[in-house]
Amino acid sequence: MNNPESNKTYTPKQALVPTPQLYDELVGDCMENLAKVTIAGMVPTDSNSVFLDIGCGTGAGTAEIVAHVGDTHSLIIKGVDIDKQALEVYRQKVAEYNWPAEAIKGDAHDLPLTDSTFSHAIGTAFLFVLPNDGVPAVKEIYRVLKPGGVAAFNSWAYVPNMQPIQIAANLTRPEGTPLPRGGMDKWENPDLLRRVLEEGGFDEDKITLTKVEVQATTTTIDRYASMLWSFIGGTSAAGWLDSDEFKWDEAIKIIKQELSKSDGYKELEGGKLQLKFIANIAIAIK
Ligand SMILES: C[S@@+](CC[C@H](N)C(=O)[O-])C[C@H]1O[C@@H](n2cnc3c(N)ncnc32)[C@H](O)[C@@H]1O
């Protein structure tokens, strides 16, 4: 669920297990709010739409498709993901919220779906977790879209939580240790999103890019910092280090300090956090 670059099995005793449930708690309403602003650009959407939610995870995109379309009478959604555990949570939500959706286990690089099937496709918080910047996956998504079909993707132009993690990693690990999620900052530039969609098959004049602010509400700073470090701290090619266990509290303290300096950081009544993110949104028509 957290895309580790190493196969090392060691984890510090304080690290929370990176389950889909932990992911949902960590992101709070951020992924749903990201999906909401992404889908908002996908007009027209009507109740006869056939949606692909690719890399659907635990269902943030699907929840917003349903909310956006409103009348779900003849709406069809296929949620595809490679992660079995995430799909289990997705299926529970399908049952709980009565979504007109089916969970399909599949790889975005070889979709188990027929050509020209979907009127819409959404890949939210998706391309940047894939190899080759997601180009092969975009080719597959292009293949299964109908001519005239609309696809929406996003990347982060600004996140408040990556720098704190990387500062904590730098200050608590030996010099030269690879940084967790190093190299993600290339996605800040919307030109990368445009290039990936063009290489995936979309015409350059049928791609629209915008930048949108996304507010997220999550838990208390103590819980947030501990979830964040647990989820991301061990994901570089170096994995977790033995020293991370006795440096755990120091890393958490640094994350809290750095996070509280981030643009848009707010502690709400009751102790919850509000964080500001900025997304690049791309809408492309086949
Ligand atoms: C950051 S999560 C985003 C999940 C969801 N779209 C959301 O907005 O919360 C990325 C998702 O992509 C899935 N994923 C990664 N590689 C994939 C692949 N090759 N094919 C399908 N899904 C993949 C992961 O399992 C994960 O659920």
Side-chain angles (χ1 to χ4, degrees):
M1 188 77 207
N2 60 347
N3 291 83
E5 290 175 49
S6 112
N7 295 324
K8 273 174 75 175
T9 50
Y10 169 73
T11 45
K13 66 171 190 282
Q14 302 92 332
L16 304 163
V17 183
T19 59
Q21 289 78 8
L22 187 74
Y23 172 82
D24 274 357
E25 190 186 345
L26 172 66
V27 299
D29 58 4
C30 183
M31 305 319 276
E32 289 186 1
N33 291 345
L34 173 64
K36 185 183 286 180
V37 297
T38 305
I39 293 164
M42 289 182 103
V43 280
T45 40
D46 60 39
S47 56
N48 292 313
S49 303
V50 184
F51 263 88
L52 169 65
D53 181 358
I54 180 68
C56 61
T58 56
T62 294
E64 293 308 322
I65 293 165
V66 170
H68 183 72
V69 174
D71 173 10
T72 57
H73 192 60
S74 45
L75 174 67
I76 296 172
I77 305 170
K78 309 273 184 199
V80 177
D81 204 286
I82 204 160
D83 186 307
K84 205 169 130 241
Q85 276 184 302
L87 285 175
E88 272 167 30
V89 177
Y90 184 95
R91 282 196 187 97
Q92 284 160 15
K93 291 186 188 172
V94 168
E96 186 178 347
Y97 301 117
N98 208 15
W99 289 341
E102 180 193 357
I104 300 171
K105 182 156 184 327
D107 186 345
H109 301 105
D110 185 16
L111 286 172
L113 300 165
T114 315
D115 294 0
S116 307
T117 305
F118 294 90
S119 61
H120 296 81
I122 176 164
T124 183
F126 180 58
L127 294 178
F128 50 79
V129 306
L130 297 180
N132 303 107
D133 297 334
V135 173
V138 173
K139 286 186 181 160
E140 271 295 89
I141 295 160
Y142 187 87
R143 175 181 70 75
V144 300
L145 260 188
K146 289 179 180 168
V150 188
F153 301 94
N154 48 44
S155 66
W156 288 119
Y158 166 75
V159 296
N161 49 11
M162 209 46 67
Q163 212 187 358
I165 290 181
Q166 294 183 339
I167 292 174
N170 256 328
L171 295 177
T172 59
R173 290 175 176 165
E175 210 179 313
T177 308
L179 288 177
R181 301 287 197 258
M184 277 294 287
D185 44 354
K186 67 181 179 184
W187 286 97
E188 289 167 11
N189 186 338
D191 290 346
L192 176 56
L193 202 46
R194 174 179 289 282
R195 176 180 69 71
V196 168
L197 297 194
E198 283 178 29
E199 288 182 17
F202 289 96
D203 255 16
E204 61 170 312
D205 53 359
K206 290 191 178 169
I207 301 170
T208 314
L209 281 158
T210 48
K211 246 186 221 310
V212 183
E213 201 173 292
V214 178
Q215 296 290 347
T217 310
T218 173
T219 54
T220 61
I221 183 145
D222 288 322
R223 175 82 179 153
Y224 187 76
S226 148
M227 289 193 290
L228 193 62
W229 189 234
S230 297
F231 209 82
I232 313 277
T235 57
S236 82
W240 289 110
L241 311 189
D242 292 349
S243 53
D244 286 329
E245 193 159 300
F246 66 86
K247 298 244 177 180
W248 187 269
D249 292 345
E250 191 184 334
I252 297 292
K253 191 172 164 207
I254 296 166
I255 291 173
K256 284 165 54 179
Q257 271 167 358
E258 294 301 320
L259 200 61
S260 64
K261 290 188 224 158
S262 67
D263 183 30
Y265 175 93
K266 225 187 251 177
E267 282 191 31
L268 304 174
E269 245 175 83
K272 285 190 171 189
L273 297 188
Q274 185 175 301
L275 300 171
K276 185 182 105 177
F277 296 70
I278 300 174
N280 296 309
I281 313 275
I283 306 290
I285 299 173
K286 178 168 174 180

